[in-house]
Amino acid sequence: MLIVMKFGGTSVANAERIFNVANRIVDSYRKGNKLIVVLSAQGDTTDELIEKANEINPDASKRELDMLLSTGEQQSVALMAMALQKLGVPAVSLNAQQCGIFSTSTHSNARIKNIATERISKELDAKNIVVITGFQGVDRNDDITTLGRGGSDTSAVALAAKLNADLCEIYTDVDGVYTSDPRIVKSARKLSVIGYDEMLELASLGAKVLHNRSVELAKKYNVNLVVRSSLTNDEGTIVKEESALEKMLVNGVAVDKDVARIAVCNLKDEPGIAFAIFSILAKNKVSVDIILQSIGRKNTKDISFTVAAGDLNEALKILEENKQRLGYSEILHDEEVAKVSIVGGGMATNAGVAASMFEALYNEGINIKMISTSEIKISVLVSEKDADRAANAVHEKFIFNEK
Ligand code: ASP
Ligand code: MG
């Protein structure tokens, strides 16, 4: 089998862990597999490099930052190849330039465009384990780029897709994808399988096990993906295309406390107002999540919406600057809110899921401030102080009893 094995920064943080991982790789190699190993930078290396850059020049150009950050992954792959050689197996490390991982030129957030396979195939044919830097690419000017924080997952999935690998294993410090954050919901448990779409929703809701774009890519190219622990032999979670029959009603309950709500009051009730508000925000790169508009009364209406807590001040400033043009009477905001969401592929074909969720919240005496739904997700906005209780109640209702 051709397998891509990706290890995150904590899994290769020091010499002991590098050898622990190397032994795993050797086991798989001795079973006769052809292996591509993709690595992140050791431990907190990427953060430390960013700090170093800030000491020198807080406004450093993104090109130079990428040049610097890419060295973290380069250290990991060289060290891993040395460890593998020490264990008596042939290995070679390659960076993005050497194996031809071509990307766009958007420094710090580049996208992989294509991967040349000649060098990798040559090394695999020579029975080498090929250890490749995650997180980096090279653009058409031969400049080094990086793919965005957490981007090594995407490197691994892209390699698996391009080389038609039988399997892409993402090794991390948790043992799979959970139904909720175990620190908040005690009864959270590991999922054995989850669909690409559900995983994408969970990833964008803040379940940080997989880089968003890696899941998008895996779905697009139907890559067999497994998320598992680098420290245990547990089976982990398989991420794949699920048939309608396999789909769980609810796979996961997510809690996001980094949200804020803004209400723009007494706007004119006429065409173009929503467009004006959200286009100004979009132009300033503030993304908006749940939106609610009140019914018009006496020719006015209110529009409220949520933004990431970090964007609150920016959003308020922009709205204030455009007060004349938008013609509202006042703006209210609330930071003490949290978003609780359920995600599940089975929802699309089952009526009454929303009602059951609201019932669970009602039983806990929790007030709902806003609601938004999609085919496979329902989100509610509640008081931040109620968030953990809400997550537990909803988890209990949908997941705890299901098996
Ligand atoms: N080392 C990079 C980061 O810390 C990429 C990764 O770990 O996936 O974001
Ligand atoms: Mg990661």
PDB file of all heavy atoms in Angstrom, residues 6-9 39-47 69 72-73 134-135 148-154 211, ligand 1:
ATOM      1  N   LYS A   6       0.986  11.645   8.389  1.00  0.00           N
ATOM      2  CA  LYS A   6       1.324  13.017   8.787  1.00  0.00           C
ATOM      3  C   LYS A   6       1.392  13.118  10.304  1.00  0.00           C
ATOM      4  O   LYS A   6       0.498  12.636  11.005  1.00  0.00           O
ATOM      5  CB  LYS A   6       0.284  13.990   8.217  1.00  0.00           C
ATOM      6  CG  LYS A   6       0.574  15.448   8.528  1.00  0.00           C
ATOM      7  CD  LYS A   6      -0.227  15.965   9.685  1.00  0.00           C
ATOM      8  CE  LYS A   6       0.245  17.325  10.177  1.00  0.00           C
ATOM      9  NZ  LYS A   6      -0.549  17.806  11.328  1.00  0.00           N
ATOM     10  N   PHE A   7       2.461  13.717  10.819  1.00  0.00           N
ATOM     11  CA  PHE A   7       2.602  13.878  12.267  1.00  0.00           C
ATOM     12  C   PHE A   7       2.648  15.359  12.631  1.00  0.00           C
ATOM     13  O   PHE A   7       3.391  16.130  12.018  1.00  0.00           O
ATOM     14  CB  PHE A   7       3.870  13.179  12.763  1.00  0.00           C
ATOM     15  CG  PHE A   7       3.820  11.691  12.569  1.00  0.00           C
ATOM     16  CD1 PHE A   7       4.277  11.123  11.391  1.00  0.00           C
ATOM     17  CD2 PHE A   7       3.277  10.865  13.537  1.00  0.00           C
ATOM     18  CE1 PHE A   7       4.215   9.754  11.187  1.00  0.00           C
ATOM     19  CE2 PHE A   7       3.201   9.501  13.343  1.00  0.00           C
ATOM     20  CZ  PHE A   7       3.672   8.937  12.162  1.00  0.00           C
ATOM     21  N   GLY A   8       1.885  15.737  13.630  1.00  0.00           N
ATOM     22  CA  GLY A   8       1.822  17.134  14.071  1.00  0.00           C
ATOM     23  C   GLY A   8       3.008  17.498  14.955  1.00  0.00           C
ATOM     24  O   GLY A   8       3.823  16.646  15.342  1.00  0.00           O
ATOM     25  N   GLY A   9       3.102  18.775  15.278  1.00  0.00           N
ATOM     26  CA  GLY A   9       4.245  19.308  16.014  1.00  0.00           C
ATOM     27  C   GLY A   9       4.502  18.653  17.363  1.00  0.00           C
ATOM     28  O   GLY A   9       5.653  18.402  17.727  1.00  0.00           O
ATOM     29  N   LEU A  39       5.593  16.145   7.877  1.00  0.00           N
ATOM     30  CA  LEU A  39       5.780  16.619   9.257  1.00  0.00           C
ATOM     31  C   LEU A  39       5.491  18.105   9.414  1.00  0.00           C
ATOM     32  O   LEU A  39       5.687  18.900   8.496  1.00  0.00           O
ATOM     33  CB  LEU A  39       7.219  16.362   9.706  1.00  0.00           C
ATOM     34  CG  LEU A  39       7.708  14.917   9.710  1.00  0.00           C
ATOM     35  CD1 LEU A  39       9.148  14.870  10.189  1.00  0.00           C
ATOM     36  CD2 LEU A  39       6.818  14.031  10.577  1.00  0.00           C
ATOM     37  N   SER A  40       5.052  18.454  10.646  1.00  0.00           N
ATOM     38  CA  SER A  40       4.959  19.852  11.080  1.00  0.00           C
ATOM     39  C   SER A  40       6.263  20.223  11.776  1.00  0.00           C
ATOM     40  O   SER A  40       7.090  19.357  12.061  1.00  0.00           O
ATOM     41  CB  SER A  40       3.848  20.026  12.111  1.00  0.00           C
ATOM     42  OG  SER A  40       2.602  19.780  11.571  1.00  0.00           O
ATOM     43  N   ALA A  41       6.384  21.501  12.110  1.00  0.00           N
ATOM     44  CA  ALA A  41       7.538  21.954  12.882  1.00  0.00           C
ATOM     45  C   ALA A  41       7.430  21.419  14.310  1.00  0.00           C
ATOM     46  O   ALA A  41       6.337  21.198  14.822  1.00  0.00           O
ATOM     47  CB  ALA A  41       7.577  23.476  12.889  1.00  0.00           C
ATOM     48  N   GLN A  42       8.575  21.196  14.955  1.00  0.00           N
ATOM     49  CA  GLN A  42       8.586  20.644  16.306  1.00  0.00           C
ATOM     50  C   GLN A  42       7.903  21.562  17.313  1.00  0.00           C
ATOM     51  O   GLN A  42       8.199  22.759  17.364  1.00  0.00           O
ATOM     52  CB  GLN A  42      10.024  20.441  16.773  1.00  0.00           C
ATOM     53  CG  GLN A  42      10.790  19.385  16.031  1.00  0.00           C
ATOM     54  CD  GLN A  42      12.163  19.208  16.644  1.00  0.00           C
ATOM     55  OE1 GLN A  42      13.050  20.009  16.386  1.00  0.00           O
ATOM     56  NE2 GLN A  42      12.327  18.196  17.475  1.00  0.00           N
ATOM     57  N   GLY A  43       7.046  20.990  18.166  1.00  0.00           N
ATOM     58  CA  GLY A  43       6.456  21.727  19.288  1.00  0.00           C
ATOM     59  C   GLY A  43       5.947  23.111  18.913  1.00  0.00           C
ATOM     60  O   GLY A  43       5.145  23.273  18.003  1.00  0.00           O
ATOM     61  N   ASP A  44       6.442  24.119  19.648  1.00  0.00           N
ATOM     62  CA  ASP A  44       5.990  25.498  19.416  1.00  0.00           C
ATOM     63  C   ASP A  44       6.895  26.275  18.464  1.00  0.00           C
ATOM     64  O   ASP A  44       6.895  27.511  18.453  1.00  0.00           O
ATOM     65  CB  ASP A  44       5.949  26.266  20.751  1.00  0.00           C
ATOM     66  CG  ASP A  44       4.918  25.677  21.694  1.00  0.00           C
ATOM     67  OD1 ASP A  44       3.890  25.195  21.184  1.00  0.00           O
ATOM     68  OD2 ASP A  44       5.149  25.691  22.913  1.00  0.00           O
ATOM     69  N   THR A  45       7.675  25.549  17.688  1.00  0.00           N
ATOM     70  CA  THR A  45       8.663  26.217  16.834  1.00  0.00           C
ATOM     71  C   THR A  45       8.078  27.347  15.990  1.00  0.00           C
ATOM     72  O   THR A  45       8.658  28.442  15.905  1.00  0.00           O
ATOM     73  CB  THR A  45       9.339  25.191  15.890  1.00  0.00           C
ATOM     74  OG1 THR A  45       9.929  24.183  16.703  1.00  0.00           O
ATOM     75  CG2 THR A  45      10.397  25.842  15.033  1.00  0.00           C
ATOM     76  N   THR A  46       6.938  27.091  15.354  1.00  0.00           N
ATOM     77  CA  THR A  46       6.368  28.118  14.468  1.00  0.00           C
ATOM     78  C   THR A  46       6.069  29.405  15.241  1.00  0.00           C
ATOM     79  O   THR A  46       6.397  30.504  14.800  1.00  0.00           O
ATOM     80  CB  THR A  46       5.109  27.585  13.761  1.00  0.00           C
ATOM     81  OG1 THR A  46       5.438  26.340  13.141  1.00  0.00           O
ATOM     82  CG2 THR A  46       4.600  28.548  12.706  1.00  0.00           C
ATOM     83  N   ASP A  47       5.460  29.247  16.442  1.00  0.00           N
ATOM     84  CA  ASP A  47       5.181  30.431  17.267  1.00  0.00           C
ATOM     85  C   ASP A  47       6.476  31.143  17.650  1.00  0.00           C
ATOM     86  O   ASP A  47       6.541  32.369  17.651  1.00  0.00           O
ATOM     87  CB  ASP A  47       4.440  30.025  18.554  1.00  0.00           C
ATOM     88  CG  ASP A  47       3.027  29.577  18.255  1.00  0.00           C
ATOM     89  OD1 ASP A  47       2.435  30.117  17.298  1.00  0.00           O
ATOM     90  OD2 ASP A  47       2.513  28.690  18.962  1.00  0.00           O
ATOM     91  N   LEU A  69       9.447  30.917   8.544  1.00  0.00           N
ATOM     92  CA  LEU A  69       8.586  29.875   9.119  1.00  0.00           C
ATOM     93  C   LEU A  69       8.833  28.510   8.481  1.00  0.00           C
ATOM     94  O   LEU A  69       8.736  27.480   9.136  1.00  0.00           O
ATOM     95  CB  LEU A  69       7.104  30.252   8.970  1.00  0.00           C
ATOM     96  CG  LEU A  69       6.650  31.493   9.736  1.00  0.00           C
ATOM     97  CD1 LEU A  69       5.129  31.557   9.790  1.00  0.00           C
ATOM     98  CD2 LEU A  69       7.209  31.519  11.146  1.00  0.00           C
ATOM     99  N   GLY A  72      11.066  25.738  10.117  1.00  0.00           N
ATOM    100  CA  GLY A  72      10.624  24.851  11.201  1.00  0.00           C
ATOM    101  C   GLY A  72      10.378  23.441  10.683  1.00  0.00           C
ATOM    102  O   GLY A  72      10.884  22.454  11.234  1.00  0.00           O
ATOM    103  N   GLU A  73       9.649  23.347   9.599  1.00  0.00           N
ATOM    104  CA  GLU A  73       9.337  22.038   9.011  1.00  0.00           C
ATOM    105  C   GLU A  73      10.601  21.386   8.455  1.00  0.00           C
ATOM    106  O   GLU A  73      10.761  20.173   8.481  1.00  0.00           O
ATOM    107  CB  GLU A  73       8.290  22.198   7.910  1.00  0.00           C
ATOM    108  CG  GLU A  73       6.828  22.163   8.370  1.00  0.00           C
ATOM    109  CD  GLU A  73       6.411  23.290   9.287  1.00  0.00           C
ATOM    110  OE1 GLU A  73       7.108  24.318   9.337  1.00  0.00           O
ATOM    111  OE2 GLU A  73       5.378  23.134   9.974  1.00  0.00           O
ATOM    112  N   GLY A 134       5.674  19.655   5.670  1.00  0.00           N
ATOM    113  CA  GLY A 134       4.304  20.126   5.544  1.00  0.00           C
ATOM    114  C   GLY A 134       4.304  21.642   5.493  1.00  0.00           C
ATOM    115  O   GLY A 134       5.355  22.283   5.630  1.00  0.00           O
ATOM    116  N   PHE A 135       3.133  22.234   5.256  1.00  0.00           N
ATOM    117  CA  PHE A 135       2.930  23.666   5.490  1.00  0.00           C
ATOM    118  C   PHE A 135       3.561  24.574   4.442  1.00  0.00           C
ATOM    119  O   PHE A 135       3.304  25.750   4.426  1.00  0.00           O
ATOM    120  CB  PHE A 135       3.476  23.992   6.891  1.00  0.00           C
ATOM    121  CG  PHE A 135       3.323  25.396   7.418  1.00  0.00           C
ATOM    122  CD1 PHE A 135       2.091  26.037   7.417  1.00  0.00           C
ATOM    123  CD2 PHE A 135       4.412  26.072   7.961  1.00  0.00           C
ATOM    124  CE1 PHE A 135       1.963  27.317   7.945  1.00  0.00           C
ATOM    125  CE2 PHE A 135       4.290  27.350   8.491  1.00  0.00           C
ATOM    126  CZ  PHE A 135       3.066  27.974   8.483  1.00  0.00           C
ATOM    127  N   GLY A 148      -0.800  28.670   5.578  1.00  0.00           N
ATOM    128  CA  GLY A 148      -1.719  29.045   6.660  1.00  0.00           C
ATOM    129  C   GLY A 148      -1.510  28.131   7.846  1.00  0.00           C
ATOM    130  O   GLY A 148      -1.164  26.959   7.678  1.00  0.00           O
ATOM    131  N   ARG A 149      -1.726  28.673   9.063  1.00  0.00           N
ATOM    132  CA  ARG A 149      -1.468  27.897  10.278  1.00  0.00           C
ATOM    133  C   ARG A 149      -2.230  26.586  10.249  1.00  0.00           C
ATOM    134  O   ARG A 149      -3.387  26.539   9.860  1.00  0.00           O
ATOM    135  CB  ARG A 149      -1.844  28.694  11.530  1.00  0.00           C
ATOM    136  CG  ARG A 149      -1.045  29.973  11.741  1.00  0.00           C
ATOM    137  CD  ARG A 149       0.465  29.726  11.807  1.00  0.00           C
ATOM    138  NE  ARG A 149       0.904  28.775  12.795  1.00  0.00           N
ATOM    139  CZ  ARG A 149       1.275  29.082  14.044  1.00  0.00           C
ATOM    140  NH1 ARG A 149       1.238  30.327  14.444  1.00  0.00           N
ATOM    141  NH2 ARG A 149       1.697  28.137  14.865  1.00  0.00           N
ATOM    142  N   GLY A 150      -1.570  25.531  10.667  1.00  0.00           N
ATOM    143  CA  GLY A 150      -2.202  24.208  10.640  1.00  0.00           C
ATOM    144  C   GLY A 150      -2.171  23.558   9.265  1.00  0.00           C
ATOM    145  O   GLY A 150      -2.751  22.497   9.042  1.00  0.00           O
ATOM    146  N   GLY A 151      -1.446  24.184   8.327  1.00  0.00           N
ATOM    147  CA  GLY A 151      -1.519  23.758   6.934  1.00  0.00           C
ATOM    148  C   GLY A 151      -0.859  22.432   6.577  1.00  0.00           C
ATOM    149  O   GLY A 151      -1.024  21.945   5.458  1.00  0.00           O
ATOM    150  N   SER A 152      -0.131  21.827   7.513  1.00  0.00           N
ATOM    151  CA  SER A 152       0.518  20.554   7.184  1.00  0.00           C
ATOM    152  C   SER A 152      -0.492  19.452   6.861  1.00  0.00           C
ATOM    153  O   SER A 152      -0.201  18.554   6.067  1.00  0.00           O
ATOM    154  CB  SER A 152       1.390  20.071   8.344  1.00  0.00           C
ATOM    155  OG  SER A 152       2.421  20.992   8.574  1.00  0.00           O
ATOM    156  N   ASP A 153      -1.659  19.517   7.487  1.00  0.00           N
ATOM    157  CA  ASP A 153      -2.706  18.536   7.159  1.00  0.00           C
ATOM    158  C   ASP A 153      -3.024  18.609   5.673  1.00  0.00           C
ATOM    159  O   ASP A 153      -3.196  17.588   4.999  1.00  0.00           O
ATOM    160  CB  ASP A 153      -4.015  18.836   7.920  1.00  0.00           C
ATOM    161  CG  ASP A 153      -3.861  18.726   9.422  1.00  0.00           C
ATOM    162  OD1 ASP A 153      -2.917  18.059   9.878  1.00  0.00           O
ATOM    163  OD2 ASP A 153      -4.703  19.308  10.137  1.00  0.00           O
ATOM    164  N   THR A 154      -3.104  19.845   5.192  1.00  0.00           N
ATOM    165  CA  THR A 154      -3.449  20.054   3.788  1.00  0.00           C
ATOM    166  C   THR A 154      -2.340  19.534   2.873  1.00  0.00           C
ATOM    167  O   THR A 154      -2.615  18.924   1.839  1.00  0.00           O
ATOM    168  CB  THR A 154      -3.739  21.545   3.542  1.00  0.00           C
ATOM    169  OG1 THR A 154      -4.852  21.909   4.369  1.00  0.00           O
ATOM    170  CG2 THR A 154      -4.076  21.830   2.102  1.00  0.00           C
ATOM    171  N   HIS A 211      -7.167  20.776   9.660  1.00  0.00           N
ATOM    172  CA  HIS A 211      -7.201  22.018   8.909  1.00  0.00           C
ATOM    173  C   HIS A 211      -8.382  21.936   7.944  1.00  0.00           C
ATOM    174  O   HIS A 211      -8.548  20.961   7.233  1.00  0.00           O
ATOM    175  CB  HIS A 211      -5.879  22.115   8.127  1.00  0.00           C
ATOM    176  CG  HIS A 211      -5.558  23.464   7.593  1.00  0.00           C
ATOM    177  ND1 HIS A 211      -5.135  23.666   6.302  1.00  0.00           N
ATOM    178  CD2 HIS A 211      -5.560  24.679   8.178  1.00  0.00           C
ATOM    179  CE1 HIS A 211      -4.891  24.951   6.108  1.00  0.00           C
ATOM    180  NE2 HIS A 211      -5.138  25.589   7.237  1.00  0.00           N
TER     181      HIS A 211
HETATM  182  N1  ASP B   1       3.858  24.422  11.791  1.00  0.00           N
HETATM  183  C1  ASP B   1       2.693  25.059  11.215  1.00  0.00           C
HETATM  184  C2  ASP B   1       1.841  25.670  12.322  1.00  0.00           C
HETATM  185  O1  ASP B   1       2.217  25.618  13.480  1.00  0.00           O
HETATM  186  C3  ASP B   1       1.888  24.132  10.362  1.00  0.00           C
HETATM  187  C4  ASP B   1       1.264  22.957  11.051  1.00  0.00           C
HETATM  188  O2  ASP B   1       1.600  22.634  12.190  1.00  0.00           O
HETATM  189  O3  ASP B   1       0.415  22.313  10.443  1.00  0.00           O
HETATM  190  O4  ASP B   1       0.813  26.227  12.046  1.00  0.00           O
END
